[in-house]
Structure formats: C-alpha cells, structure tokens
C-alpha cells in the first residue's frame, strides 16, 4: 500500500521542480522571463478586443453615416460577440494543446487575429464587424489559454504567479491604448492600430519560445525535450540538465504504468468520464465551474465592455472622456501592482480582499446613485461614485479579474490539461457572453443601474465566501503538490495539514 501511495504521487513534474531549492542559484532566469513575456504579448490583442467595443459603440451611435443607426440588439451583439466565439476557441484547445503542442497552438491563434482586425477596419456594415469580433474572440481564447499553460509549465514555483500575471499588464495596456486612441481617433484607425499591434506576438515568439519540455517528454520527443531543457537551464541559472531530464523521464515512465491504455485509446467522452472519476480532476473542474460564474456576475468584465455607458450613468456630470482614460490608466498601473503581489502573496487572500473591496465600493456607489435619484445632485455624490468605481476596478484587477484565469493551469494535472482546460475556459467565456450580452436585460429586470450595482455587490461578497471555503492556496506550490492536495481534501478549512509527500529521487 505504501508503494502504491508513492507511485500515485509521482506525477510529471514542472521543468524546475526536479531540482532541490538549495541547489538553485539566486540568479535571474532571463530565458524563462523572455519566454513568458513572448507568449504574454498575445494579451495585447485580448486587451484590444475587450476595450474596443467600449469606444466603438458610442462612436457608431454618433457617426451614423458609417453604418446607419444601430439598434440596441446590434450594439449588444457587437459588444458580446467575442465572448460567444471564445468557447469555440477553448474547444479547439482541447483538441490542439495535447496533439500539436503548446507553442504550435499559440502560433495558430495569431492568424484569425489578423483577419479579424482587418475585417473590422474595412467593415461597411455591422455584420462584418461582428464577424471580425468573432474571429478575434476565437483568437483571444486560443492564444491566452495556450500561453497560460505554457507559462505554468516552464516557470518555477516561486515565480509562476508573477510570470503568469505579465499577461495582465499586457491586457491592461491594450485596454488603455484602445481608450486613449478611441476617444480621439476614428474607430477604423483604432482597428488598424490593433491590427499592427497583433504582430508583436509573432516577432517575440520567433526567438525565445522553445516548446514546453514537459509536453515534449509526455509525447516521447526526448531529443527536443533535452534541447528545450538546456535552453531554459542555462549555465548562469542552474546545473544538472541531464539529471533533471533523466528524473522527468523516469517519473513519466512510472506514471505510464498507472494509465489505463484502453481508456486512453477510446473516444473522448469515455476519456473525460474516466478522468472525472478521479478527485484530482473532478474537484478542480467543479470549483472552477462555480468560480467563473461568480467572477462574471461580479460585473468586472461587463464593466470592461460597457465602460463608457456605465460611467455616464454612475458618474453623471463628469467628463466621460477623462473618466474613461482615468479608469484605463488605473487598470494599467494596478496590473503592475498585481504582478508584484502575486509574487509575494497567496491567491486566496488576494481574491478575498479583492472581493470585499469590490462589494463595499459597489454598495457605496449604489447608495450614492440612490440618493441622487432622491434629489441630492451634489458634486460630492458624483465624485464619491466615481472614486468607488475606480476602487472597484482596481481591486478587481489584482484579484477576482486575474486569478481565476491562472488557477486552471495550476490545478489540472499535466496529462489532462489539454482535455479539460479548453472546456472549462469555454464555460467561462460562455458565461461571459451571457453576462455581457444580457446586461441591458438584467438591468431592466433589476430596476435599472441601482439594482445592477447592488446585485454585483452581493455577488462579489458571495465570491469571497466561496473562495474562503473551497479554493486552495497554490502560491509557491509545486504542480505535483497541488495535485496531491485534491486527492485528500475538498473544503480548504477542513484540509489535512499534511498530505502524502512526493518521494525525492
């Protein structure tokens, strides 16, 4: 029985997890950093896609000569179309990540991005804009999710959080650039700027992104895996490339003995059902399914898509151009703070503090909105509302907006990431589509902006309770240790203090 426990816990380890921490030098690993930055640049066009609708729809409502007068339904589809396309990109990931590799999947995502932005820039009716945004939404989901898996597999446990949060900085800069240019330039020019910006991932990944050694070993491509390891384990950072390779290979071979070959060669539905019978898979799937629903209905992403219109209602009397720029600038600056905080602090406290601040600021903003409806039109109420919304988006940027996207790449075992990461991210984007597309309908059901603000406040605080109860701490944990946690624990507060430890080779 003891031997079986040892085997069950010998999972394919992270590239740098095989080395003892005492042997690691405290030298900055430029190879790892450049590889992470290279794939994180895909978040630039994710930011472009998220921020573009916020400036596009107000312009189309003013410049009716371009497209004619748009209906409320057309505006809703333009805003939410990238979200409805994203689940299809996530399903593509389920097929591609394990078959063609992390980097090949990432590079494939760049083509629909180029085509989508070109269609938007050349569009002569709303339908073509929607098609262009469908393509950019597909590219966004494939690019960002394959990049997250790649970064999780090549970065060390200590740096994994800060490396993966580089994408948040890129995304925030993309949103800010859309706001800055879109408030002063015609939307077609802004679309061409986004098209040019999509070339950055192509240039960066051409030099600094060898395939993930974990995936190469998993696929039996030993020569390429050793070459990739040598690139990441340069002489200035660490030693023992061959030793680490041998260890990874040995653990992979032992893991193969536990795999049901009949199941692995069967159809995808049988494979999914078999893997879902394991607590290391069904627990992360269940937690992330609920977490993403809560995340989307805190309103944090709906605000990204409808920033200008929402600020016009919440902060009446303020110059919306400056308020929107201030919002984008806050988001960008806070993304740098998030990178530092993810390096030094755990996922749980950041999520809970973020949710508490979001809930309180939305509650206060709603109260100010209510007092204004009762006749209090003082400038104090307006500025308090604006300040609360800025705090809301700032708190969300370092917690609830960012961390749920990181967790699946950390929680799912290596051998099932390709199989389950795509569907779970597809679920998130489907919920995002519902939250964004039916925003106006939800606002009508809840009685206007006041109901929306208080509803988002309640969900933010509910998210805090959910994280406190169920989401485990993954900060500075090895991927194998995270997997061990789910074998023996469900409710974090009742967790066993010591899980079965991996054997050191």
């Amino acid at each position: 029985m003891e031997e079986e426990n040892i085997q069950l816990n010998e999972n394919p380890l992270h590239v740098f997890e095989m080395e003892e921490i005492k042997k690691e030098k405290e030298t900055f690993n430029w190879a790892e950093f450049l590889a992470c930055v290279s794939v994180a640049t895909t978040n630039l066009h994710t930011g472009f896609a998220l921020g573009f609708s916020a400036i596009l729809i107000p312009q189309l409502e003013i410049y009716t000569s371009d497209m004619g007068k748009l209906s409320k339904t057309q505006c809703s589809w333009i805003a939410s179309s990238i979200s409805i396309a994203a689940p299809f990109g996530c399903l593509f990931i389920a097929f591609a990540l394990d078959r063609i590799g992390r980097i090949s999947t990432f590079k494939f995502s760049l083509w629909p991005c180029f085509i989508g932005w070109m269609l938007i820039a050349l569009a002569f009716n709303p339908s073509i804009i929607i098609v262009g945004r469908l393509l950019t939404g597909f590219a966004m989901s494939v690019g960002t999710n394959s990049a997250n898996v790649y970064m999780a597999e090549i970065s060390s446990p200590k740096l994994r959080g800060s490396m993966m949060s580089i994408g948040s900085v890129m995304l925030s800069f993309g949103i800010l650039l859309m706001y800055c240019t879109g408030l002063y330039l015609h939307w077609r020019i802004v679309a061409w700027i986004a098209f040019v910006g999509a070339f950055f991932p192509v240039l960066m990944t051409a030099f600094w992104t060898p395939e993930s050694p974990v995936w190469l070993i998993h696929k039996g491509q030993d020569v390429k895996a050793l070459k990739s390891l040598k690139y990441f384990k340069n002489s200035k950072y660490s030693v023992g490339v061959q030793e680490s390779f041998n260890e990874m290979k040995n653990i992979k071979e032992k893991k193969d003995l536990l795999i049901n070959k009949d199941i692995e060669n069967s159809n995808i539905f049988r494979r999914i059902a078999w893997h879902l019978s394991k607590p290391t898979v069904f627990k992360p799937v269940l937690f992330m399914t609920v977490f993403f629903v809560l995340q989307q209905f805190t309103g944090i992403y709906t605000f990204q898509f409808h920033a200008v219109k929402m600020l016009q209602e919440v902060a009446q009397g303020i110059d919306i151009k400056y308020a929107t720029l201030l919002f984008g600038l806050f988001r960008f600056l806070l993304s740098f703070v998030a990178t530092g905080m993810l390096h030094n602090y755990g996922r749980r406290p950041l999520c809970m503090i973020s949710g508490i601040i979001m809930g309180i600021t939305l509650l206060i903003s709603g109260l100010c909105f209510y007092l204004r409806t009762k006749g209090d039109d003082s400038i104090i109420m307006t500025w308090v509302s604006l300040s609360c919304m800025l705090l809301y988006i700032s708190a969300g940027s370092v917690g609830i907006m960012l961390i749920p996207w990181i967790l699946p790449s950390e929680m799912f075992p290596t051998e099932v990431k390709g199989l389950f990461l795509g569907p779970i991210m597809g679920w998130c984007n489907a919920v995002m589509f519902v939250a964004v597309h039916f925003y106006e309908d939800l606002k009508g059901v809840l009685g206007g902006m006041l109901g929306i603000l208080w509803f988002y406040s309640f969900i933010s605080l509910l998210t805090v309770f959910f994280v406190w109860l169920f989401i485990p701490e993954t900060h500075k944990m090895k991927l194998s240790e995270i997997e061990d946690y789910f074998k023996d624990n469900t409710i974090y507060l009742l967790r066993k203090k010591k899980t079965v430890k991996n054997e050191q080779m």
Side-chain angles (χ1 to χ4, degrees), residues 373-434:
T373 62
K374 297 300 181 180
D376 188 347
D377 292 327
S378 65
I379 192 66
I380 295 176
M381 288 296 165
T382 300
W383 278 103
V384 169
S385 294
L386 180 61
S387 300
C388 284
M389 294 308 291
L390 289 174
L391 280 173
Y392 161 74
I393 197 62
S394 299
S397 298
V398 298
I400 288 176
M401 184 180 231
L402 172 62
I403 291 174
W405 297 98
I406 295 175
L407 289 177
S409 297
E410 295 182 321
M411 286 183 175
F412 290 130
T414 301
E415 65 271 18
V416 300
K417 277 181 183 173
L419 193 61
F420 284 95
L421 191 76
I424 201 69
M425 291 302 185
W427 166 255
C428 173
N429 283 283
V431 177
M432 185 191 297
F433 167 75
V434 172

Side-chain angles (χ1 to χ4, degrees), residues 6 44 60 98 149 202 243 281 302 344 363 484 497:
I6 291 173
L44 276 174
L60 290 177
D98 284 340
V149 171
V202 177
E243 289 82 353
V281 177
T302 305
N344 294 297
L363 188 64
D484 288 341
K497 298 300 180 182

